[in-house]
Amino acid sequence: MGKTDTTVAVAKNALLSVYDKAGIAEFAAGLAKDGWRIYASGGTAKAVAATGVEVHDVTELVGGEAILGHRVVTLSREIHAGILADDSDEHTAELQRLNIPRISLVCVDMYPLQAAIADPAGTERAVVEMTDIGGPTMLRAAAKGRRIVLSRPEQRAPVLAWLQAGKPDEQAFLRELAAIAEYETARYVLTSARYLGGDAVTGFTGKRVAVPRYGENPWQTNAALYADDARTDPLALSNFVLRGGTELSFTNYTDVDRLLQTMTHAAAVFAKNSKTGAVPAIALGCKHGNMCGAGVATKPAAAIQKMLKGDPRAIFGGAVMLNTVITKDLANELLTHGMSGTKRLLDVVVAAGIEDDALAVLQRKGGKLRVIVNPALGGLTEDSLDTAPRFRYVRGGILQQDNYTFVFDIASPELERHGKALTAKQIKDMQLAWAVGSTSNSNTITLVKDGRLIGNGVGQQDRVSAAELAVKRTNDAGHDPKGAIAYSDSFFPFPDGPLKLADAGVAAILASRGSVRDGDVAKALTDAGVTFWTLPDTTIRGFFNH
């Protein structure tokens, strides 16, 4: 309980209690200059006082020191009454009678629970000690009381500026701060629940970071990209920067996500199977959620050319991703290679970076060509795969599973080889075929030749149809399937499907095994002169987005 009536009379009381002390003294100084009385807990009070700013220890409010080894500091009737009281005459009179100051600003961060959980040497006891109770409680109280509530360090400068500007649009601003405080608390509590409950509980918290005009269709108007900015994934879609064109559409985002899955798997398989871990230049083209072009080469221009020739019809209006910086020459390749007097229309170009004169080349009327960049694309390794659990909405709930993190390894002791040995060039084609096929809608059979995707038979209900579609798309695109390498995302239950590939001249096939007719399939292919490599279905099956 407060000691004097002067604390009640001061209208602007601020309570600061932060774990990370960086910058808190400067924030306190800004408040003090604006006439605020500063209350702070233990370490925060010391950090503020050390810079000469007048600060009052929070114990002045609660009438006693921290207890239970500092577990209980701000959990008191007096503090929460000062935060939760509304503006009514009744509440104001009650605060005065109890000599409790109204607290109008709360600046709190929480113990680093996630770091304690992630610490390989951490114990459950350490996690318990880093589980904050007072912080989340004050944030929620301040949100309910519509106080000026700061739950993130980056809010301090904007809040000071807002105060100095006379608190414009006050109710909307306070509501926004309250929403962020509740969000931070929800995310924190969900982290604790996941730690305690393991696989028994799940959830996602995210902040809206982009608003497309609509979803997949114009009548699906309530669309947005949400991101959990607590994660530090450099390849999160929210970390891609728009350099040119209008904001991305909903389907643009889904295509970029699919491109990213294929790009990281391609980089991972080349790195894993290279003695040096080197990743070549990779160019990918996507249309309606599946790769319609993929090229791999030592130089970016060659990779782009291979990608564009994969399926010239499908790439029209498509999305492209490169793991290199786009120069003016590469921009011209994207728009003009293989074209006769006209420029290729693309909707999205994603790269590790882009030079200014290249950006000028890629400009399209109405900003219809979106260019986004992320330097992390230029340094992909096997560790670049997304390891976060993936989930999808189903009616009444969600399905969740581990992410797609398997990487094909030609040195695997489980790999069975039938037929002729493959050249180093053919093995690289097999790796690209695997990367594309295992990140395409199942059922899929993928054909690659000379470092280029030439046919992708995706989303079929049976393996024969997938084989026929892969060959058809190859022929329709003007490619010769003879000598190509095929990947099947699951085993062949009968020889009929792979023999369609053999009849087209495919030189080798990578697939899983697990059928009672595996022997019949292997014999039929070797008799046809086709090399057949398999891994167990439990190891390599590549169903994606099933």
Side-chain angles (χ1 to χ4, degrees):
M1 185 177 294
K3 294 182 179 180
T4 67
D5 290 337
T6 57
T7 58
V8 177
V10 175
K12 298 198 297 186
N13 296 297
L15 175 57
L16 315 182
S17 179
V18 297
Y19 183 87
D20 183 354
K21 309 301 188 296
I24 193 61
E26 291 78 5
F27 178 64
L31 290 176
K33 186 177 179 180
D34 195 41
W36 288 78
R37 184 186 186 98
I38 309 297
Y39 290 94
S41 61
T44 306
K46 291 179 182 178
V48 172
T51 61
V53 175
E54 183 180 1
V55 59
H56 300 265
D57 197 285
V58 74
T59 57
E60 290 185 21
L61 300 178
V62 301
E65 301 292 335
I67 60 174
L68 301 180
H70 213 74
R71 278 195 174 193
V72 179
V73 183
T74 58
L75 292 168
S76 78
R77 184 180 74 159
E78 291 80 11
I79 285 178
H80 288 279
I83 296 173
L84 287 165
D86 63 28
D87 294 330
S88 66
D89 292 341
E90 180 183 358
H91 281 196
T92 301
E94 191 167 1
L95 288 183
Q96 290 177 342
R97 178 173 61 81
L98 296 171
N99 201 29
I100 296 174
R102 175 187 174 88
I103 299 172
S104 299
L105 183 149
V106 174
C107 178
V108 170
D109 66 13
M110 292 172 279
Y111 294 164
L113 176 61
Q114 187 63 57
I117 293 172
D119 184 356
T123 63
E124 183 164 346
R125 177 70 179 177
V127 172
V128 168
E129 291 305 314
M130 281 294 110
T131 303
D132 203 334
I133 301 300
T137 306
M138 282 192 292
L139 288 177
R140 295 215 66 209
K144 178 176 179 177
R146 288 298 186 273
R147 301 307 198 251
I148 304 167
V149 53
L150 295 85
S151 52
R152 296 176 168 180
E154 60 267 26
Q155 293 174 316
R156 296 168 191 170
V159 165
L160 284 176
W162 174 75
L163 290 169
Q164 292 163 5
K167 301 194 288 188
D169 300 317
E170 182 173 8
Q171 293 307 311
F173 189 75
L174 294 181
R175 186 183 179 90
E176 180 182 354
L177 291 178
I180 295 173
E182 293 277 44
Y183 165 70
E184 290 291 341
T185 304
R187 184 170 62 184
Y188 193 86
V189 173
L190 180 58
T191 298
S192 181
R194 282 173 169 162
Y195 172 75
L196 295 171
D199 294 338
V201 295
T202 192
F204 172 79
T205 54
K207 186 177 69 169
R208 189 177 64 192
V209 294
V211 182
R213 290 177 59 193
Y214 50 79
E216 287 184 296
N217 302 291
W219 45 267
Q220 293 171 291
T221 55
N222 192 19
L225 171 66
Y226 294 88
D228 183 351
D229 53 4
R231 292 194 64 211
T232 55
D233 180 4
L235 290 168
L237 293 195
S238 56
N239 288 328
F240 285 73
V241 177
L242 183 69
R243 287 290 313 277
T246 61
E247 288 294 332
L248 273 67
S249 71
F250 186 95
T251 51
N252 289 156
Y253 279 115
T254 59
D255 279 347
V256 172
D257 184 63
R258 182 62 63 88
L259 284 162
L260 199 53
Q261 279 280 0
T262 304
M263 178 64 78
T264 52
H265 279 74
V269 75
F270 288 123
K272 188 180 191 74
N273 293 283
S274 167
K275 292 181 180 179
T276 63
V279 174
I282 304 171
L284 300 175
C286 177
K287 191 70 175 290
H288 295 301
N290 288 290
M291 295 309 112
C292 61
V296 175
T298 55
K299 294 184 178 180
I304 290 172
Q305 292 166 8
K306 289 181 177 182
M307 177 270 294
L308 293 173
K309 289 182 179 179
D311 193 333
R313 293 183 305 183
I315 194 60
F316 183 89
V320 168
M321 180 175 284
L322 312 176
N323 65 338
T324 55
V325 173
I326 301 177
T327 63
K328 183 178 181 180
D329 288 342
L330 294 181
N332 280 312
E333 289 286 352
L334 284 170
L335 297 185
T336 64
H337 182 75
M339 303 296 289
S340 178
T342 61
K343 289 186 177 181
R344 179 176 289 104
L345 292 181
L346 297 172
D347 278 359
V348 182
V349 173
V350 192
I354 186 167
E355 296 178 357
D356 290 343
D357 53 356
L359 189 61
V361 170
L362 291 179
Q363 286 182 347
R364 183 177 159 192
K365 186 177 179 180
K368 293 182 179 180
L369 174 53
R370 294 89 164 174
V371 179
I372 59 174
V373 299
N374 187 330
L377 287 173
L380 298 177
T381 68
E382 189 178 347
D383 294 331
S384 298
L385 293 176
D386 187 3
T387 59
R390 289 183 76 89
F391 57 87
R392 60 193 294 179
Y393 171 77
V394 293
R395 190 156 185 164
I398 63 171
L399 285 169
Q400 180 173 302
Q401 63 178 354
D402 289 341
N403 217 314
Y404 301 90
T405 55
F406 170 78
V407 179
F408 171 48
D409 184 359
I410 63 171
S412 171
E414 295 182 306
L415 184 63
E416 289 185 1
R417 298 171 172 87
H418 304 272
K420 301 175 185 178
L422 299 181
T423 65
K425 181 180 177 182
Q426 288 176 315
I427 291 173
K428 288 186 179 297
D429 282 349
M430 182 174 284
Q431 291 164 6
L432 179 59
W434 168 83
V436 171
S438 65
T439 54
S440 296
N441 290 1
S442 60
N443 286 336
T444 297
I445 289 179
T446 303
L447 300 186
V448 168
K449 183 178 179 180
D450 297 329
R452 174 191 296 123
L453 172 66
I454 59 173
N456 203 16
V458 306
Q460 299 304 294
Q461 288 79 26
D462 63 271
R463 213 132 290 270
V464 176
S465 297
E468 290 174 337
L469 181 59
V471 173
K472 179 181 185 302
R473 295 202 72 87
T474 297
N475 290 327
D476 288 351
H479 302 299
D480 183 359
K482 185 177 181 180
I485 306 298
Y487 164 74
S488 171
D489 62 6
S490 186
F491 59 75
F492 293 103
F494 302 97
D496 50 359
L499 286 178
K500 293 285 185 181
L501 301 175
D503 291 343
V506 166
I509 300 173
L510 170 66
S512 70
R513 60 178 183 268
S515 168
V516 295
R517 295 181 177 85
D518 283 340
D520 296 340
V521 172
K523 184 177 185 305
L525 287 174
T526 52
D527 287 348
V530 177
T531 296
F532 188 42
W533 285 15
T534 68
L535 280 162
D537 199 57
T538 52
T539 299
I540 198 177
R541 190 173 78 177
F543 283 174
F544 184 85
N545 207 44
H546 196 58

